[in-house]
Amino acid sequence: MIPRFHLHAKLQRPHLSFIPKFSKKILTDFLHFPPLKFSMANAWKRNQPTKMLTPKTFLLLLLTSLLLLTFLYLASQTQTPTPKTLQKNPIFERKIKPFDCYNSPQAHPVIANIVEGLKYPFLYSLSDFGNLPEKPHKDIVRTLKGKPFRKPDISGTVQELLEKMKGENGGKNGIFVDVGANVGMATFAAAVMGFKVLAFEPVFENLQRICEGIYFNRVGDWVEVFEAATSDRSGNITFHKLVGRLDNSAVSATGAKMAFKSNEEIELQVKSIPLDEMIQESEPVLLLKIDVQGWEYHVLKGASKLLSRKKGEAPYLIYEEDERLLQASNSSAKEIRDFLRSVGYHQCTQHGTDAHCTKTE
């Protein structure tokens, strides 16, 4: 039976007697709606397709497409970042490779402590922890008593200077060069502040301590440490290491005995290299610290290019100026001062046994 519609008011439901039972329920549910009223004038609109693309929808689609095309274009133009752009402080190709902390054997047991009284605290360990001598280091005694290490003067000095330099440079960081790094007391003072550090230390046991400190303080991205002494020539030099106090050594046997009051020392052949062969001209060096028990003059001579940079680019200089140790290495304080004046360092002040020098021209 063909369903009939009354055109005047109501839409009649069709009869479903001709539809199979399995389809009848579906159609009944689909057609189960209340009567609709409409006029003949607009009845034709029910058979018209729905407008899917309005002006508003079209504009939104157009904008989305433009954004997507712009993103794809920029992505295709972007080059893969180089290691230099991925790091805050780029690692340049050095003439000698950094010491490999991860593949070198480490001493044990490892006992470290935090340094007291620093604005930017850090941890380090000493190299004679493993076989406590009859008169252990004062910081070992403090650790056994549950106290932190005493603040090394050089650590406080480095942090004060670098913080001042950072403020003067508008927050820009440079490099701290630590010659005679020992167990890292100056190195870590700078690294925990976010400064790049080049550390030079020829004694293997001290390098082990520095590696431990790099791990303790999580500063592997900031420290490059080199198993070498710095000098005015490349090659090898004889180093004298004291027996029983492995964190102390000197190039001169006389200087070693004089500085550390010991008659027992052994000779080692260590690699030497000038700083000018390790530091790129484009690297901004803020601070250079040298503590090498009388070998300072030779280190400074090997850094002539670095020290000859113009004012504002030459580093602030700290070096140990102990006349007895200098003479033991065939140099003198006067010889050092004369050399520094020749490269523009006319302003030097004494701080204990250390000299602080700045460029004045």
Side-chain angles (χ1 to χ4, degrees):
M1 180 182 293
I2 300 175
R4 293 181 303 167
F5 292 88
H6 293 279
L7 299 178
H8 59 280
K10 296 182 180 180
L11 178 66
Q12 299 288 330
R13 292 182 177 83
H15 295 284
L16 305 175
S17 58
F18 72 100
I19 300 175
K21 290 183 179 180
F22 71 90
S23 301
K24 188 180 293 184
K25 186 177 184 307
I26 298 174
L27 289 174
T28 300
D29 293 340
F30 179 74
L31 295 172
H32 184 68
F33 50 83
L36 300 176
K37 293 184 178 181
F38 61 95
S39 65
M40 284 297 294
N42 61 12
W44 63 273
K45 293 182 180 180
R46 293 180 58 85
N47 296 323
Q48 298 299 314
T50 304
K51 291 184 177 181
M52 298 296 294
L53 194 61
T54 64
K56 184 176 180 181
T57 305
F58 175 76
L59 181 60
L60 182 62
L61 181 61
L62 180 61
L63 291 174
T64 303
S65 300
L66 289 173
L67 287 173
L68 180 59
L69 289 173
T70 302
F71 172 78
L72 292 174
Y73 173 76
L74 292 176
S76 66
Q77 297 299 311
T78 303
Q79 297 180 355
T80 303
T82 63
K84 183 175 180 179
T85 62
L86 289 173
Q87 300 203 19
K88 296 179 181 178
N89 292 281
I91 296 179
F92 292 89
E93 188 69 27
R94 309 289 180 193
K95 191 167 183 179
I96 60 175
K97 293 183 179 180
F99 184 73
D100 188 351
C101 287
Y102 292 102
N103 292 322
S104 70
Q106 287 294 297
H108 60 277
V110 175
I111 303 173
N113 207 342
I114 196 167
V115 180
E116 68 176 357
L118 287 175
K119 183 175 181 179
Y120 302 93
F122 62 89
L123 297 98
Y124 75 94
S125 61
L126 292 174
S127 62
D128 50 5
F129 264 118
N131 51 2
L132 293 175
E134 293 181 2
K135 294 182 179 180
H137 192 283
K138 61 185 178 182
D139 276 333
I140 297 178
V141 176
R142 288 176 66 87
T143 298
L144 295 175
K145 291 180 178 180
K147 297 180 180 180
F149 285 170
R150 281 182 178 163
K151 177 178 68 177
D153 291 338
I154 189 61
S155 301
T157 299
V158 165
Q159 288 193 352
E160 290 169 9
L161 288 171
L162 289 177
E163 188 164 45
K164 181 181 178 182
M165 293 174 186
K166 191 172 184 178
E168 293 174 349
N169 293 338
K172 294 182 180 179
N173 285 359
I175 295 175
F176 169 51
V177 179
D178 188 2
V179 178
N182 197 262
V183 296
M185 294 172 288
T187 289
F188 301 132
V192 295
M193 296 177 67
F195 286 89
K196 181 72 180 179
V197 182
L198 302 184
F200 296 86
E201 174 56 46
V203 179
F204 178 77
E205 289 80 4
N206 291 346
L207 291 167
Q208 289 180 310
R209 300 286 86 77
I210 293 174
C211 289
E212 291 161 6
I214 288 173
Y215 175 77
F216 293 149
N217 296 290
R218 302 295 191 268
V219 291
D221 291 337
W222 303 104
V223 178
E224 287 183 76
V225 58
F226 300 93
E227 186 179 10
T230 61
S231 187
D232 51 355
R233 60 181 177 84
S234 296
N236 294 299
I237 58 175
T238 303
F239 222 69
H240 298 265
K241 184 174 68 173
L242 299 189
V243 176
R245 295 304 303 268
L246 300 176
D247 57 327
N248 293 323
S249 53
V251 174
S252 164
T254 303
K257 294 174 182 178
M258 185 185 302
F260 311 120
K261 299 178 182 179
S262 171
N263 293 320
E264 296 183 78
E265 43 85 19
I266 57 176
E267 291 186 1
L268 296 173
Q269 288 293 310
V270 299
K271 183 181 297 183
S272 68
I273 190 166
L275 284 177
D276 284 339
E277 295 185 17
M278 292 295 293
I279 299 173
Q280 303 286 333
E281 291 184 6
S282 59
E283 291 184 280
V285 179
L286 296 179
L287 178 60
L288 169 59
K289 165 254 171 185
I290 306 171
D291 185 355
V292 288
Q293 310 303 331
W295 199 249
E296 282 76 10
Y297 177 69
H298 303 277
V299 176
L300 292 167
K301 287 281 286 183
S304 298
K305 290 182 181 179
L306 172 63
L307 297 173
S308 296
R309 293 180 181 181
K310 63 183 180 180
K311 182 182 178 181
E313 296 180 3
Y316 187 104
L317 173 63
I318 302 175
Y319 71 94
E320 186 179 36
E321 191 178 73
D322 187 316
E323 189 64 45
R324 300 176 308 147
L325 297 177
L326 291 171
Q327 290 181 3
S329 296
N330 300 316
S331 64
S332 67
K334 182 182 182 303
E335 191 174 24
I336 289 178
R337 294 293 181 102
D338 289 343
F339 167 74
L340 290 176
R341 280 191 288 269
S342 72
V343 291
Y345 283 83
H346 294 278
Q347 183 65 39
C348 290
T349 57
Q350 202 73 23
H351 297 256
T353 58
D354 288 340
H356 290 223
C357 302
T358 54
K359 194 98 174 201
T360 56
E361 63 179 37

